[in-house]
Amino acid sequence: MIIFHDASCLEYSAPAHPERPARIAGTVPLLNERHPDWEWRIPGPASEAAVLRAHSRDHLERIKGATRDFDADTPFYPKIYEHALRSAGAAIEATQAALKGHRAFSLMRPPGHHATQGRAMGFCYFNNVAIAALDALAVVRNGNAGPPVSSTPATTEARVERVAIWDFDAHHGNGTEAIVAQNPRIAFASIHQFPGYPGTGTKSFGNHLEVAKRALEKLIAFKPDLLLVSAGFDAYARDPLVQMTLEPDDFSTLGEWLCRLDIPVSTILEGGYSDELPELVDAFLTAWASK
C-alpha cells in the first residue's frame, strides 16, 4: 500500500467547519502505527494542464485569484489554490502508482467530487478524481494507433482506454458526473443518500452496501483498464452530516471487493466527518491490502 499525503493539507481551517484538519491529522498516526510497512509519498501539485482537462480556464483563475468564499459550504482560505493543486496532484500520482501495479490511496484534503467544470462547491475546489481519470486517458497516440486524445502528454506511462469511477461517498458525486457524463471512455457510478446534499442524483436506494456492490459489478462489466474510487466515509452510521447505516465492518467489505479485482485500482479520499474516520479508513485499507 502506498499512501500519498502532504502534511501541508492540515494548514487551513474554518471555525466549526466539518471538513477540518482533524480528519487527516488523526488518520495519519493511526495508519503509521498499525501499518509500519506501508510506504508514504509526498505528492507534487497537479499541473495547470492537468486541471484544465476537467475544469474551465475561468474556474482555475477564480480559484487562483479568490479573495472571498465561494459559497456557504466552500470557504476561501489563503493558498487554497495551492492546497487544491496538491490534492489533485496526489490523486494523479496515486493513479500512476496503481497503473504500475501498486495499491494506492490519496489521503489529502480538500476533497473534490462536488466541484464541477466551472464551480467550486460542497467543500471542493478541483475535482480530484475527474482530473486523475482524464490524465490517465490523455495518451498521445502516434502512427496508426489512433487519433490524438490530448495535445498535452499524460503523466501516466501505461496506456489506458477505459476508466471506471466508483463513488461510494454518501453524497452524490455531482461534479464528477457532470464532468465525465459525456465521455464514452469513462463509466461512473455514485451511490448516495437522497434527499441529501447537493440535491441531485434523484434515484433513491435503501441499502447502501448492496447497491454499492451492484454498481461496482456494472462498472467492471464496462471492462475498464483502471478503476478510480471516490472513497467517502460519511455513510457511517454515526456521521454527523447524513443518516446512513454503515458500520466499520461494512467499509472492510468495500475494501475486500477491491482486493478481488484484477485491474489497477486507485482510491481517493472524499468525505467522512465523524471522529471515527481514522478507524473507518483503516478498516477499508486493511481489507483492501489483505491479499
Side-chain angles (χ1 to χ4, degrees), residues 5 42 51 60 81 96 99 133 151 163 168 193 198 201 203 211 235 248 263:
H5 170 72
I42 299 175
V51 173
L60 185 149
Y81 176 70
Q96 290 178 330
L99 290 169
S151 59
V163 176
F168 64 73
Q193 175 177 300
K203 191 171 183 180
V211 178
I263 59 172

Side-chain angles (χ1 to χ4, degrees), residues 5-29 75 77 80 83 107-111 123 269 272-275 277-278:
H5 170 72
D6 186 335
S8 67
C9 75
L10 307 177
E11 294 175 354
Y12 69 93
S13 63
H17 198 289
E19 206 291 282
R20 62 198 191 280
R23 301 175 64 235
I24 309 296
T27 304
V28 171
Y77 299 103
I80 191 57
H83 290 302
L107 182 59
M108 293 286 287
R109 54 191 290 265
F123 316 163
L269 180 66
Y273 307 99
S274 72
D275 291 339
L277 177 64

Side-chain angles (χ1 to χ4, degrees), residues 139-148 159:
V139 176
V140 177
R141 304 175 190 170
N142 297 312
N144 296 323
R159 179 164 169 165

Side-chain angles (χ1 to χ4, degrees), residues 47 49-50 53 138-140 149-155:
S47 67
R53 293 191 182 103
V139 176
V140 177
V149 176
S150 170
S151 59
T152 305
T155 55

Side-chain angles (χ1 to χ4, degrees), residues 120-162:
M121 61 181 293
F123 316 163
C124 304
Y125 303 86
F126 293 142
N127 196 304
N128 305 319
V129 72
I131 291 168
L134 293 169
D135 180 82
L137 289 172
V139 176
V140 177
R141 304 175 190 170
N142 297 312
N144 296 323
V149 176
S150 170
S151 59
T152 305
T155 55
T156 52
E157 297 176 359
R159 179 164 169 165
V160 175
E161 294 292 344
R162 297 155 75 90

Side-chain angles (χ1 to χ4, degrees), residues 65-257:
T67 58
R68 60 183 182 180
D69 293 351
F70 297 91
D71 60 31
D73 296 310
T74 316
F76 161 74
Y77 299 103
K79 298 185 178 180
I80 191 57
Y81 176 70
E82 289 79 7
H83 290 302
L85 285 182
R86 281 191 291 269
S87 194
I92 290 173
E93 291 190 29
T95 300
Q96 290 178 330
L99 290 169
K100 294 174 182 176
H102 302 287
R103 291 169 178 161
F105 179 60
S106 172
L107 182 59
M108 293 286 287
R109 54 191 290 265
H113 72 154
H114 292 308
T116 67
Q117 183 187 42
R119 181 183 174 191
M121 61 181 293
F123 316 163
C124 304
Y125 303 86
F126 293 142
N127 196 304
N128 305 319
V129 72
I131 291 168
L134 293 169
D135 180 82
L137 289 172
V139 176
V140 177
R141 304 175 190 170
N142 297 312
N144 296 323
V149 176
S150 170
S151 59
T152 305
T155 55
T156 52
E157 297 176 359
R159 179 164 169 165
V160 175
E161 294 292 344
R162 297 155 75 90
V163 176
I165 301 174
W166 185 44
D167 187 332
F168 64 73
D169 190 280
H171 296 95
H172 181 216
N174 63 296
T176 309
E177 182 173 82
I179 291 169
V180 308
Q182 302 305 314
N183 192 322
R185 301 173 71 197
I186 300 177
F188 172 74
S190 174
I191 307 95
H192 51 272
Q193 175 177 300
F194 182 85
Y197 184 88
T200 52
T202 57
K203 191 171 183 180
S204 182
F205 300 99
N207 188 321
H208 192 92
L209 197 65
E210 178 183 333
V211 178
K213 183 177 183 181
R214 294 206 305 266
L216 180 59
E217 290 170 347
K218 288 183 178 180
L219 289 174
I220 297 307
F222 180 66
K223 297 183 178 180
D225 304 302
L226 169 70
L227 174 67
L228 300 183
V229 181
S230 276
F233 296 85
D234 41 10
Y236 177 54
R238 285 163 286 286
D239 192 276
L241 297 193
V242 291
Q243 297 78 41
M244 301 295 279
T245 60
L246 297 196
E247 296 291 345
D249 286 350
D250 295 315
F251 290 101
S252 294
T253 298
L254 295 172
E256 290 168 5
W257 294 343

